[in-house]
Amino acid sequence: DLGHKETTRSGRRQVGNRPVDRIRRGRLAKTLHRLPGLPVAMPIIERTKREKELAALLALALGSLGASVDAGRPDYARFTEQATSAFSQTLTNVYVDAANALAGSQNVEIDQEAEAAAAIYITSVAPTLARGMAQNTAAALARRPLAPGAASTSFLFSPGRAVSASITEVTRTGSQADRIAARTIGARLAVRTVGIWQTARDDLVCPICRPLHGRPELGPNGWASRVPGGSPAHIGCRCEIVYRFEPLAGRLAGPRI
């Protein structure tokens, strides 16, 4: 049951039987700064580590599936089980850390809400992603069957596919966690939240995302008019939505005492 929480011997929180490597609020308080009215740029916590972790697990599952294809007995059920476990293990940590980091930047405590929301999200998303990868693989092989023994050289079963999936889903999970956390923060502090598109600001930023950088969600030039679902805008997208918290008319933003 992903909704069950307990503390492991190492002191890490746990969602179901999966440890959640949360950053302690004490550490957050030392590293985050509250900037009223300015966008809070909260990069996904330990993003590179999480992407590599998920990519390694998915690569193992894809490699196993490829071997079964070469053997003439594609084992999509086993792949789906392995990929579901991989997504669940890594994305739970991404979600909880992202939500707590954004809330910590505003001195808001949402630990329980973050873990409950992560459980709901992962229960739905992890098996859906795993089934989707299995179905896409089967469809690709139906369109263009591989020669015997060729699975090891096919992108379908390659580490490259695992890396692409991991980047995309870490981005998606962090984006979803921040969206829900921002909504909770807005209600808790009675402030308005404004989501602003932020690219990685490097040479790898694509033509789809580059013009969206710095745009708010709503309005005539808002990013929602071009990418209604938000980040990720495409496979391999690394963009994030940063949030600005603005006082409502006649109110001062701040924690309720």
Side-chain angles (χ1 to χ4, degrees), residues 3-74:
H4 175 65
K5 301 185 290 294
E6 59 185 31
T7 303
T8 64
R9 290 184 179 180
S10 63
R12 293 184 298 172
R13 294 290 286 173
Q14 186 160 307
V15 177
N17 60 356
R18 306 188 185 286
V20 178
D21 299 320
R22 280 187 324 184
I23 290 182
R24 299 298 181 191
R25 285 185 58 79
R27 288 173 58 195
L28 280 172
K30 295 178 182 178
T31 58
L32 303 178
H33 302 279
R34 190 175 180 200
L35 302 172
L38 297 178
V40 179
M42 291 305 310
I44 295 174
I45 305 300
E46 298 184 314
R47 175 171 190 140
T48 300
K49 173 185 174 181
R50 298 305 183 196
E51 288 174 350
K52 289 182 178 179
E53 173 187 301
L54 179 55
L57 293 170
L58 289 177
L60 288 174
L62 286 169
S64 178
L65 177 58
S68 72
V69 169
D70 276 342
R73 298 183 299 274

Side-chain angles (χ1 to χ4, degrees), residues 51-69 75 78-87 89 133 156-163 165-166:
E51 288 174 350
K52 289 182 178 179
E53 173 187 301
L54 179 55
L57 293 170
L58 289 177
L60 288 174
L62 286 169
S64 178
L65 177 58
S68 72
V69 169
D75 195 344
R78 183 184 181 197
F79 169 79
T80 300
E81 181 180 351
Q82 292 175 329
T84 297
S85 176
F87 284 124
Q89 178 176 321
M133 289 187 73
L156 289 173
F157 310 103
S158 69
R161 185 184 182 193
V163 169
S166 70

